[in-house]
Amino acid sequence: AKAVKNALGGTVNDVILAAVTGALRALLLARGEAVKGLTLRAMVPVSTRDDAKQTALGNQVSMFFLDLPIGLADPARRLRRITAATKELKSSQQAVAATALMSSAQWAPPTLHGLAARLLARQRVVNLVVSNVPGPQVPLYLDGARLLVAFPVMPLGEQMALSVAVTSLSGVMGFGFTTDWDTGTDIDELSDGLLQAFDELKKAAEAKASPR
C-alpha cells in the first residue's frame, strides 16, 4: 500500500479505499450486474482532533461520505478519483477540523471501530462503511508468541449490508468484512476481489515507476 501511494499519489487510506472499490467492482461483475457509471457511497470515519488536542481525554470521531467509483475499470484512475475526493472532503466542512484518517496510534483500534459502528447505526444514506484504524507498528507478543495479524469485526447498521474494517499491526493489514446473511452469501468473492485489486494497483505502480 505504501509503495502504491508513493508511486501513484494519495495516502495509504486512499489506497485502501481504492482496493475496496476494486473488490466491490469484481463482486458485482461476478454477479453479472452492470457497473458502468456506478458509484457506491461509503461512510469513512475520521478523527476530528487537531494537533493541539491529541493529549485530551475522550475520542472525537466524525465521518465523511465518499462516492466510490465502481464504474472505473482502470485501478490508477480509481485511486486518483478517490484521492481527489478525499482531499476535497478533508478541506471542506463535512468533517470539521479533520486532520487525519484514524491516524492516532494511541487509540485502541477496537474502540475506534466501535465508535464508527455507533455512527453507522444512525445513517440512512450510505451503502457501506470503510473504517481504517492503524494499530501499533511494533511487534506485539503474548507469552512469547508474536501477534501476526488482527482481523477487526464491525457490526452492520439497520439499513446497510456491508461493513469493512481494517487494522494494521506492525506493517500487516487485517481486513474484516461483515455482510448481511441474505445479501452477502458470496463474501468469498469480495475477499478474492480485494487481493486482485491490490495486485492491480501494485502493477499500476510498478508500470509508472519503470523507465520507458
Side-chain angles (χ1 to χ4, degrees), residues 113-133:
H113 287 310
L115 287 168
R118 289 196 287 275
L119 288 171
L120 169 65
R122 300 194 294 268
Q123 301 310 307
R124 299 292 184 270
V125 294
V126 293
N127 302 112
L128 71 154
V129 61
V130 183
S131 174
N132 171 34
V133 182

Side-chain angles (χ1 to χ4, degrees), residues 2 19 26 88 98-99 116 129:
K2 289 181 179 178
E88 181 178 351
T99 57
V129 61

Side-chain angles (χ1 to χ4, degrees), residues 8 13 22 45-46 58 73 84 101 109 156 161 165 188 191 212:
L8 301 179
N13 199 73
V46 297
L101 289 168
L156 296 174
D188 287 346
S191 56
R212 297 292 181 180

